[in-house]
Coordinates of all heavy atoms in Angstrom, one line a residue:
G1464 N 0.8 -1.2 0.0 CA 0.0 0.0 0.0 C 0.8 1.3 0.0 O 2.1 1.2 0.2
G1465 N 0.2 2.4 -0.2 CA 0.9 3.7 -0.3 C 1.6 4.1 1.0 O 1.3 3.7 2.1
S1466 N 2.8 4.8 0.7 CA 3.6 5.3 1.8 C 4.2 4.3 2.7 O 4.4 4.5 3.9 CB 2.8 6.3 2.6 OG 2.3 7.4 1.8
C1467 N 4.4 3.1 2.2 CA 5.1 2.0 3.0 C 6.6 2.1 2.9 O 7.1 2.7 1.9 CB 4.6 0.6 2.6 SG 3.0 0.2 3.1
V1468 N 7.3 1.6 3.9 CA 8.8 1.5 3.8 C 9.2 0.1 4.1 O 8.7 -0.5 5.1 CB 9.4 2.5 4.9 CG1 10.9 2.2 5.0 CG2 9.1 3.9 4.6
I1469 N 10.0 -0.5 3.2 CA 10.5 -1.8 3.4 C 12.0 -1.7 3.6 O 12.7 -1.2 2.8 CB 10.3 -2.7 2.1 CG1 8.8 -2.5 1.6 CG2 10.6 -4.1 2.3 CD1 7.7 -2.9 2.5
L1470 N 12.4 -2.2 4.8 CA 13.8 -2.0 5.3 C 14.7 -3.1 4.7 O 14.3 -4.1 4.2 CB 13.8 -1.9 6.8 CG 13.1 -0.7 7.4 CD1 13.2 -0.7 8.9 CD2 13.7 0.6 6.8
P1471 N 16.1 -2.9 4.9 CA 17.0 -3.8 4.4 C 16.8 -5.3 4.9 O 16.5 -5.5 6.0 CB 18.4 -3.3 4.9 CG 18.2 -1.8 5.1 CD 16.7 -1.7 5.5
G1472 N 17.0 -6.2 4.0 CA 17.0 -7.6 4.3 C 15.6 -8.3 4.5 O 15.5 -9.4 4.8
I1473 N 14.6 -7.5 4.1 CA 13.2 -8.0 4.3 C 12.8 -9.0 3.2 O 13.1 -8.8 2.1 CB 12.2 -6.9 4.4 CG1 12.5 -6.0 5.6 CG2 10.8 -7.4 4.4 CD1 12.4 -6.7 6.9
T1474 N 12.1 -10.1 3.6 CA 11.5 -11.0 2.7 C 10.0 -11.0 2.9 O 9.5 -11.1 4.1 CB 12.0 -12.4 2.9 OG1 13.4 -12.5 2.6 CG2 11.3 -13.4 2.0
I1475 N 9.2 -10.8 1.8 CA 7.8 -10.8 1.9 C 7.2 -11.9 1.1 O 7.5 -12.1 -0.1 CB 7.2 -9.4 1.4 CG1 7.7 -8.2 2.2 CG2 5.7 -9.5 1.4 CD1 7.3 -6.9 1.6
G1476 N 6.5 -12.8 1.8 CA 6.0 -14.0 1.2 C 4.9 -13.8 0.1 O 4.3 -12.7 0.1
N1477 N 4.6 -14.8 -0.7 CA 3.6 -14.7 -1.7 C 2.2 -14.3 -1.2 O 1.8 -14.7 0.0 CB 3.4 -16.1 -2.4 CG 4.7 -16.5 -3.1 OD1 5.5 -15.7 -3.5 ND2 4.8 -17.8 -3.4
N1478 N 1.5 -13.5 -1.9 CA 0.1 -13.2 -1.7 C -0.1 -12.2 -0.5 O -1.3 -11.9 -0.2 CB -0.8 -14.5 -1.4 CG -0.5 -15.5 -2.5 OD1 -0.5 -15.2 -3.6 ND2 -0.5 -16.8 -2.0
S1479 N 0.9 -11.7 0.1 CA 0.7 -10.9 1.3 C 0.4 -9.5 0.9 O 0.7 -9.0 -0.2 CB 2.0 -11.0 2.2 OG 2.1 -12.3 2.7
I1480 N -0.2 -8.8 1.9 CA -0.6 -7.4 1.8 C 0.1 -6.5 2.9 O 0.1 -6.9 4.0 CB -2.1 -7.2 1.9 CG1 -2.8 -8.0 0.8 CG2 -2.5 -5.7 1.9 CD1 -4.3 -8.0 0.9
I1481 N 0.7 -5.4 2.4 CA 1.3 -4.5 3.4 C 0.4 -3.3 3.4 O 0.3 -2.6 2.4 CB 2.8 -4.1 3.0 CG1 3.6 -5.3 2.5 CG2 3.4 -3.3 4.1 CD1 3.8 -6.4 3.6
A1482 N -0.2 -3.0 4.5 CA -1.2 -2.0 4.6 C -0.5 -0.6 4.5 O 0.6 -0.4 4.9 CB -2.0 -2.0 5.9
A1483 N -1.3 0.4 4.0 CA -0.7 1.7 3.7 C -0.1 2.3 5.0 O -0.6 2.2 6.1 CB -1.8 2.6 3.2
G1484 N 1.1 2.9 4.8 CA 1.8 3.6 5.9 C 2.6 2.7 6.8 O 3.2 3.2 7.8
S1485 N 2.7 1.4 6.4 CA 3.5 0.5 7.3 C 5.0 0.6 7.1 O 5.5 1.0 6.0 CB 3.1 -1.0 6.9 OG 1.7 -1.2 7.2
V1486 N 5.7 0.3 8.2 CA 7.2 0.3 8.1 C 7.5 -1.2 8.4 O 7.3 -1.7 9.6 CB 7.8 1.2 9.1 CG1 9.4 1.0 9.1 CG2 7.4 2.6 8.9
V1487 N 8.0 -1.9 7.4 CA 8.3 -3.3 7.6 C 9.7 -3.5 8.1 O 10.7 -3.3 7.3 CB 8.0 -4.1 6.2 CG1 8.3 -5.6 6.4 CG2 6.6 -3.8 5.7
T1488 N 9.8 -4.0 9.3 CA 11.1 -4.2 9.9 C 11.5 -5.7 10.1 O 12.7 -6.0 10.5 CB 11.1 -3.6 11.3 OG1 10.2 -4.3 12.2 CG2 10.8 -2.1 11.3
K1489 N 10.6 -6.6 9.8 CA 11.0 -8.0 9.8 C 10.2 -8.7 8.7 O 9.2 -8.2 8.2 CB 10.7 -8.6 11.2 CG 9.3 -8.5 11.7 CD 9.1 -9.1 13.1 CE 7.7 -9.0 13.6 NZ 7.6 -9.6 14.9
D1490 N 10.6 -10.0 8.5 CA 10.0 -10.7 7.4 C 8.5 -10.9 7.5 O 8.0 -11.0 8.6 CB 10.7 -12.1 7.2 CG 12.1 -12.0 6.8 OD1 12.5 -10.9 6.4 OD2 12.8 -13.0 6.9
V1491 N 7.8 -10.9 6.4 CA 6.4 -11.1 6.3 C 6.1 -12.5 5.8 O 6.5 -12.8 4.7 CB 5.7 -10.0 5.5 CG1 4.2 -10.3 5.4 CG2 6.0 -8.6 6.0
P1492 N 5.4 -13.3 6.5 CA 5.0 -14.7 6.0 C 4.1 -14.7 4.8 O 3.4 -13.7 4.6 CB 4.3 -15.4 7.2 CG 4.7 -14.5 8.4 CD 4.8 -13.1 7.9
T1493 N 4.1 -15.8 4.1 CA 3.1 -15.9 3.0 C 1.7 -15.8 3.5 O 1.4 -16.2 4.6 CB 3.4 -17.3 2.4 OG1 4.7 -17.4 1.8 CG2 2.4 -17.6 1.3
N1494 N 0.8 -15.2 2.6 CA -0.6 -15.1 2.9 C -0.9 -14.4 4.2 O -1.7 -14.8 5.0 CB -1.2 -16.5 3.0 CG -1.1 -17.3 1.7 OD1 -1.3 -16.8 0.6 ND2 -0.7 -18.6 1.8
S1495 N -0.2 -13.2 4.4 CA -0.4 -12.4 5.6 C -0.8 -11.0 5.3 O -0.4 -10.5 4.2 CB 0.8 -12.4 6.5 OG 1.2 -13.7 6.9
I1496 N -1.5 -10.4 6.2 CA -1.8 -8.9 6.1 C -1.1 -8.3 7.3 O -1.3 -8.7 8.4 CB -3.3 -8.6 6.1 CG1 -4.0 -9.2 4.9 CG2 -3.5 -7.1 6.1 CD1 -5.5 -9.0 4.9
V1497 N -0.2 -7.3 7.0 CA 0.5 -6.6 8.1 C 0.2 -5.1 8.0 O -0.1 -4.6 7.0 CB 2.0 -6.9 8.1 CG1 2.3 -8.4 8.1 CG2 2.7 -6.3 6.8
A1498 N 0.3 -4.5 9.2 CA 0.1 -3.1 9.2 C 0.8 -2.5 10.4 O 1.1 -3.2 11.4 CB -1.4 -2.7 9.3
G1499 N 1.1 -1.2 10.3 CA 1.7 -0.4 11.5 C 3.1 -0.1 11.4 O 3.8 -0.5 10.4
N1500 N 3.6 0.5 12.4 CA 5.0 0.9 12.5 C 5.5 0.6 14.0 O 5.2 1.3 14.9 CB 5.2 2.4 12.3 CG 6.7 2.9 12.4 OD1 7.6 2.0 12.5 ND2 6.9 4.1 12.3
P1501 N 6.3 -0.5 14.1 CA 6.6 -1.5 13.1 C 5.4 -2.4 12.6 O 4.5 -2.5 13.4 CB 7.7 -2.3 13.7 CG 7.4 -2.3 15.2 CD 6.8 -0.9 15.4
A1502 N 5.5 -2.9 11.4 CA 4.4 -3.6 10.9 C 4.2 -5.0 11.7 O 5.2 -5.6 11.9 CB 4.6 -3.9 9.4
K1503 N 3.0 -5.3 12.0 CA 2.6 -6.5 12.7 C 1.5 -7.2 11.9 O 0.7 -6.6 11.2 CB 2.2 -6.2 14.1 CG 3.3 -5.6 15.0 CD 2.8 -5.3 16.4 CE 4.0 -4.7 17.2 NZ 3.5 -4.4 18.6
I1504 N 1.5 -8.5 12.1 CA 0.5 -9.4 11.4 C -0.9 -9.1 12.0 O -1.1 -9.2 13.2 CB 0.8 -10.8 11.5 CG1 2.2 -11.2 10.8 CG2 -0.3 -11.7 10.9 CD1 2.6 -12.6 11.0
L1505 N -1.8 -8.7 11.1 CA -3.2 -8.5 11.5 C -4.0 -9.8 11.3 O -4.8 -10.1 12.2 CB -3.8 -7.4 10.6 CG -3.3 -6.0 10.8 CD1 -4.1 -5.0 9.9 CD2 -3.3 -5.5 12.2
K1506 N -3.8 -10.4 10.2 CA -4.6 -11.7 9.9 C -3.9 -12.4 8.8 O -3.1 -11.9 8.1 CB -6.0 -11.3 9.6 CG -6.2 -10.5 8.3 CD -7.6 -10.2 8.0 CE -8.4 -11.4 7.6 NZ -9.8 -11.0 7.2
S1507 N -4.3 -13.7 8.6 CA -3.9 -14.5 7.5 C -5.0 -14.5 6.4 O -6.1 -14.3 6.7 CB -3.6 -15.9 8.0 OG -2.6 -16.0 8.9
I1508 N -4.5 -14.6 5.2 CA -5.5 -14.6 4.1 C -5.9 -16.0 3.8 O -5.1 -16.9 3.6 CB -4.8 -14.0 2.8 CG1 -4.3 -12.6 3.1 CG2 -5.7 -14.0 1.6 CD1 -3.5 -12.0 2.0

């Protein structure tokens, strides 16, 4: 989503969604929705 930041070394799994305005500081699992600063898992798809 808009205005997100993905930091060094991050891996984002297939099908996942990064909600607008998130700062991703750790890897995002497959089929996940994350949001926030730092981004945290909200739910699985």
Side-chain angles (χ1 to χ4, degrees):
S1466 300
C1467 287
V1468 173
I1469 314 299
L1470 294 182
I1473 296 300
T1474 296
I1475 300 175
N1477 295 337
N1478 310 319
S1479 291
I1480 298 172
I1481 315 299
S1485 298
V1486 178
V1487 182
T1488 62
K1489 60 182 181 181
D1490 291 349
V1491 176
T1493 296
N1494 299 315
S1495 299
I1496 299 176
V1497 302
N1500 179 8
K1503 296 181 180 179
I1504 297 175
L1505 294 183
K1506 61 182 293 185
S1507 297
I1508 301 172

